Amino acid sequence: GENVEQHPSTLSVQEGDSAVIKCTYSDSASNYFPWYKQELGKGPQLIIDIRSNVGEKKDQRIAVTLNKTAKHFSLHITETQPEDSAVYFCAASIKEYGNKLVFGAGTILRVKS
Amino acid sequence: DAGITQSPRHKVTETGTPVTLRCHQTENHRYMYWYRQDPGHGLRLIHYSYGVKDTDKGEVSDGYSVSRSKTEDFLLTLESATSSQTSVYFCAISVLPFDESGTEAFFGQGTRLTVV
């Protein structure tokens, strides 16, 4: 079936540095790509999303880029802070499942102060 | 937090017993989803509902059934629990399907189920 691959599985950065998480997807019909942040003991929370008619979207310190030709999208966090430490999930809408979301395996981000 | 309540929050059950997890929302959102979260797999869709009595299967539906008799409640049932169903289960709600413009999905806090 269609899937979403996410890398790296863990990422440690120094406070103030940038963090980049990358995802690839297999369904060329996918048109919606959200990113979720999950803090310990909580459910995932949407932090930013992008649609297939847009190449880049930015919201303060976070940005997402999309390359539909290569079928990959990335999350960029600049000026990282300790409160950015969490698990981040990418997802893509997959036509095979009625345009429901298929998630990547997640990235544990640790920001060291 | 969006008005989503999952119950129970934690449960330990024995292999072969039936288990029902409940998701209750106060947002009157049409779409509701059940996901399971396992290390190395992220979140995987079990079943979803697009209205009262309207449900469909997700990518990992075997061994699970759902019911939605009211807008606010979406029940997930494991007819005969197995150890492979040990997981954290999340309910999510949305006004429109995830791929619709401007739609955000809101997740509950999860139910940790252990099957021994």
Side-chain angles (χ1 to χ4, degrees), chain A residues 32 38 43 51 89 99-101, chain B residues 37 90 98-100 102 108:
Chain A
Y32 176 57
Q38 186 178 24
R51 302 187 186 278
F89 293 97
N99 287 322
K100 298 302 172 287
L101 291 179
Chain B
Q37 184 175 35
F90 285 97
F98 286 141
D99 57 325
E100 295 290 329

Side-chain angles (χ1 to χ4, degrees), chain A residues 32 34-38 41-47 89 91 101 103, chain B residues 1-6 23-25 27 29 31-37 42-45 88-94 98 104-111:
Chain A
Y32 176 57
W35 286 89
Y36 287 82
K37 176 183 181 182
Q38 186 178 24
K42 297 185 178 180
Q45 188 168 17
L46 180 71
I47 55 171
F89 293 97
L101 291 179
F103 285 79
Chain B
D1 291 340
I4 309 172
T5 304
Q6 289 186 232
C23 177
H24 178 78
Q25 60 144 330
E27 306 296 322
H29 285 358
Y31 294 84
M32 299 186 74
Y33 312 81
W34 276 107
Y35 285 87
R36 61 177 289 175
Q37 184 175 35
L43 293 120
R44 291 180 291 175
L45 181 64
V88 180
Y89 291 85
F90 285 97
C91 172
I93 64 173
S94 64
F98 286 141
E104 179 173 352
F106 299 92
F107 283 81
Q109 291 193 297
T111 294

Side-chain angles (χ1 to χ4, degrees), chain B residues 44-88:
Chain B
R44 291 180 291 175
L45 181 64
I46 305 171
H47 280 280
Y48 62 96
S49 169
Y50 43 93
V52 174
K53 297 193 190 318
D54 290 325
T55 64
D56 208 344
K57 297 178 179 180
E59 54 181 316
V60 290
S61 60
D62 288 349
Y64 302 94
S65 62
V66 290
S67 66
R68 191 165 177 203
S69 59
K70 297 184 290 184
T71 299
E72 57 266 35
D73 288 326
F74 193 31
L75 304 181
L76 176 70
T77 297
L78 292 66
E79 301 293 345
S80 178
T82 67
S83 58
S84 64
Q85 293 176 311
T86 292
S87 186
V88 180

Side-chain angles (χ1 to χ4, degrees), chain A residues 21-72:
Chain A
I21 304 170
K22 298 181 179 181
C23 288
T24 60
Y25 60 97
S26 55
D27 183 2
S28 57
S30 294
N31 61 5
Y32 176 57
F33 309 91
W35 286 89
Y36 287 82
K37 176 183 181 182
Q38 186 178 24
E39 297 176 339
L40 196 62
K42 297 185 178 180
Q45 188 168 17
L46 180 71
I47 55 171
I48 196 168
D49 57 13
I50 193 168
R51 302 187 186 278
S52 59
N53 58 344
V54 176
E56 183 174 358
K57 184 176 177 181
K58 191 173 182 179
D59 183 3
Q60 298 183 357
R61 294 187 299 108
I62 60 174
V64 57
T65 58
L66 171 64
N67 183 329
K68 283 224 75 179
T69 302
K71 290 190 283 187
H72 67 71

